[in-house]
Amino acid sequence: MKKTSFAFILAIFFIASCKEKKIELTSAPLSDYWKPAVGKYITYRLDSTVPTNFGLSLTVRSYRVKDIVDAEIVDGLGRKAYRIYRTITDTNGVAPYKPSSTFYTVPVGTEWIEHVDNNLRYMKLRWPIRDGFQWKGHSFIDAGSSNAGLQYLADWNFTYENIGQPFTVLGKTFDNTISVLQIDDTDPPGPIFPDRIQIKKYGKEVYAKGIGLIYKEFLYYTHQPPNGSHATDYFEDASYGVKLRVIDYN
């Protein structure tokens, strides 16, 4: 009787394990939500948050940018990558576009997709695509070094949310999207008070099926109280924010 019961328990465990594997195997491929190809472009409204008046406040400056996949290349690690050029103009797109920056996207097999900017490697998407699945999106960045100036990027848990759900950007609804909450941390929580330090880190990206990145929101700041070099409270120079919202694409 005991042997039968034990065999029955093993059978249940085996079936449960198979079901778990089946769920992972039916996950959508990453290429559903970002598949770079030469000539592909996406145009965004860019809202850039920066400190002004010697850090007394944060202000938003707006532009229009166009990201175009310029060429297929081989990166420094010998991997197939795609070079992306960003050009920039005014918010209405009236002035001629001017060169802004260059970065790379690297589909690492079917396992993850990297974004390489200023020699920093971000693991933007990770397989499998499942609600609640987490990964260390900055695992390739030396954010722990005291001399790196990147400590605020340490130990972020990227998390999938709202898989397959619609998302609206600038009045246009995309029916099938995935959201990646990168971080949402304010220390201490609550509003800004002039007499205390507060550090905020927030990051979220949304990808639409067949298109790619359609929304990005990032904000990092360190607010300081008055001290020997500042008569009033202020935001440190390294504080910044970026918001991207898709306008058009091909």
Side-chain angles (χ1 to χ4, degrees):
M1 184 66 178
K2 289 183 178 179
K3 290 183 178 179
T4 302
S5 299
F6 182 72
F8 178 76
I9 291 171
L10 285 178
I12 294 298
F13 179 80
F14 178 77
I15 293 171
S17 299
C18 290
K19 287 183 177 180
E20 181 65 22
K21 290 179 181 178
K22 184 177 180 181
I23 290 173
E24 290 193 6
L25 290 173
T26 57
S27 166
L30 300 178
S31 57
D32 276 7
Y33 294 94
W34 178 227
K35 186 176 182 179
V38 175
K40 182 179 178 65
Y41 73 83
I42 305 180
T43 305
Y44 302 98
R45 177 188 172 95
L46 166 63
D47 297 318
S48 176
T49 300
V50 293
T52 58
N53 299 321
F54 302 99
L56 293 180
S57 61
L58 297 176
T59 191
V60 176
R61 297 171 179 167
S62 298
Y63 310 90
R64 179 178 294 203
V65 296
K66 185 175 185 179
D67 292 354
I68 182 166
V69 181
D70 170 70
E72 182 178 320
I73 62 171
V74 176
D75 74 355
L77 298 175
R79 305 173 303 177
K80 181 173 75 173
Y82 295 85
R83 184 174 62 205
I84 299 175
Y85 280 151
R86 171 169 289 178
T87 55
I88 189 168
T89 183
D90 59 277
T91 53
N92 294 319
V94 175
Y97 278 93
K98 297 180 180 180
S100 174
S101 57
T102 303
F103 41 90
Y104 306 91
T105 186
V106 187
V108 183
T110 59
E111 296 302 309
W112 70 78
I113 293 177
E114 285 183 27
H115 176 87
V116 184
D117 191 2
N118 289 323
N119 294 318
L120 298 177
R121 296 165 58 198
Y122 302 87
M123 190 187 295
K124 292 292 189 173
L125 298 176
R126 188 80 164 92
W127 196 85
I129 301 173
R130 296 168 60 183
D131 272 309
F133 180 74
Q134 296 186 347
W135 69 98
K136 298 293 185 182
H138 298 159
S139 56
F140 299 124
I141 298 174
D142 180 18
S145 171
S146 59
N147 298 318
L150 300 170
Q151 293 90 340
Y152 70 97
L153 296 177
D155 204 33
W156 289 26
N157 285 318
F158 285 26
T159 307
Y160 281 129
E161 298 181 330
N162 304 317
I163 304 301
Q165 297 301 305
F167 191 85
T168 300
V169 184
L170 296 177
K172 180 177 176 58
T173 299
F174 298 84
D175 293 332
N176 186 330
T177 70
I178 57 174
S179 296
V180 181
L181 181 63
Q182 299 171 338
I183 196 169
D184 186 2
D185 181 65
T186 305
D187 184 24
I192 295 174
F193 292 103
D195 60 348
R196 74 176 183 181
I197 296 175
Q198 186 183 66
I199 300 174
K200 182 174 183 66
K201 294 178 284 188
Y202 180 80
K204 178 179 179 177
E205 294 184 348
V206 181
Y207 295 79
K209 187 174 184 179
I211 300 170
L213 179 70
I214 60 168
Y215 180 87
K216 172 188 176 78
E217 186 173 358
F218 174 90
L219 179 61
Y220 162 70
Y221 67 72
T222 299
H223 172 268
Q224 296 280 8
N227 54 43
S229 58
H230 290 80
T232 63
D233 60 305
Y234 66 101
F235 294 94
E236 291 186 358
D237 291 343
S239 303
Y240 74 103
V242 174
K243 181 181 285 188
L244 290 174
R245 289 174 286 175
V246 64
I247 296 174
D248 63 17
Y249 53 89
N250 67 350

